[in-house]
Amino acid sequence: RAHAPTMSASRRDMIQGLSVSSAALLLGVSSSPAVARDEYLKDPTPAFLESEERSKKFQAKQKAMKKAMNSLLDELNAGVDDNDMVEALRKMTILVQKEQDLPAGMNKESLIKTIRLKKTAMASKGMWLTPVEIEYKNLIQSITIVQSPNREKEQSL
């Protein structure tokens, strides 16, 4: 029986200790959002402004690149002979190599699908001969190389 009162006393001490530390914790946490809120309402930091400027430049570059790639796709689709196809595919390859990627929002699979539609139409007319196929394969290879996560290894070989 003497053992039971010491247990309850230690429980009571423990509960009081927890409630005091909980209250201190709540007071400490509740004051920090007010400080963060004051800091949030101040003017943007120079680092944030710099980041926004870089983001705008990147978006403008991507928009221009996408416009150029779409223009080259239109040129490819408007082509009537193999020379037009070779020239359009060569320009696409140069753009991909220069920019080291496809424009944002355009992926390799959708580009291949678009080109294959033109390839099918031209092949049914007896066109899309070897030089055009070579340029098409060069474009696909260039895209694969620039999108490869192991570019450093491939370039050193």
Side-chain angles (χ1 to χ4, degrees):
R1 285 190 182 208
H3 192 2
T6 58
M7 287 286 285
S8 64
S10 64
R11 279 190 202 158
R12 195 172 297 131
D13 292 340
M14 188 172 72
I15 291 172
Q16 285 176 344
L18 282 176
S19 62
V20 168
S21 63
S22 304
L25 181 64
L26 286 176
L27 287 174
V29 170
S30 66
S31 66
S32 66
V35 171
R37 189 176 313 125
D38 289 343
E39 191 172 317
Y40 176 77
L41 295 176
K42 292 181 183 175
D43 292 333
T45 63
F48 175 79
L49 294 173
E50 181 183 321
S51 173
E52 284 294 306
E53 188 62 32
R54 279 194 317 259
S55 177
K56 286 178 186 176
K57 285 180 183 177
F58 176 78
Q59 288 173 350
K61 181 180 176 185
Q62 287 296 312
K63 187 176 180 181
M65 186 176 162
K66 189 168 188 175
K67 185 177 180 181
M69 185 61 85
N70 284 332
S71 172
L72 292 172
L73 279 172
D74 291 343
E75 188 178 314
L76 178 77
N77 286 324
V80 292
D81 64 3
D82 282 358
N83 291 333
D84 294 342
M85 302 295 135
V86 167
E87 191 59 32
L89 290 167
R90 187 171 292 139
K91 288 178 185 176
M92 282 186 213
T93 303
I94 291 168
L95 180 65
V96 167
Q97 289 172 345
K98 177 183 157 212
E99 299 295 334
Q100 291 294 299
D101 204 359
L102 288 172
M106 185 177 284
N107 62 27
K108 180 179 168 184
E109 290 75 22
S110 66
L111 183 65
I112 289 172
K113 195 178 288 186
T114 302
I115 295 172
R116 282 185 180 166
L117 288 172
K118 183 62 176 181
K119 177 181 178 177
T120 303
M122 295 301 285
S124 68
K125 297 176 187 175
M127 297 182 174
W128 199 279
L129 301 175
T130 304
V132 183
E133 187 65 22
I134 290 171
E135 283 304 320
Y136 170 66
K137 295 295 183 184
N138 285 341
L139 173 63
I140 301 306
Q141 184 179 25
S142 294
I143 294 169
T144 303
I145 288 171
V146 299
Q147 291 183 343
S148 172
N150 299 319
R151 270 202 311 224
E152 294 79 22
K153 289 180 186 176
E154 291 172 4
Q155 289 174 353
S156 67
L157 294 178

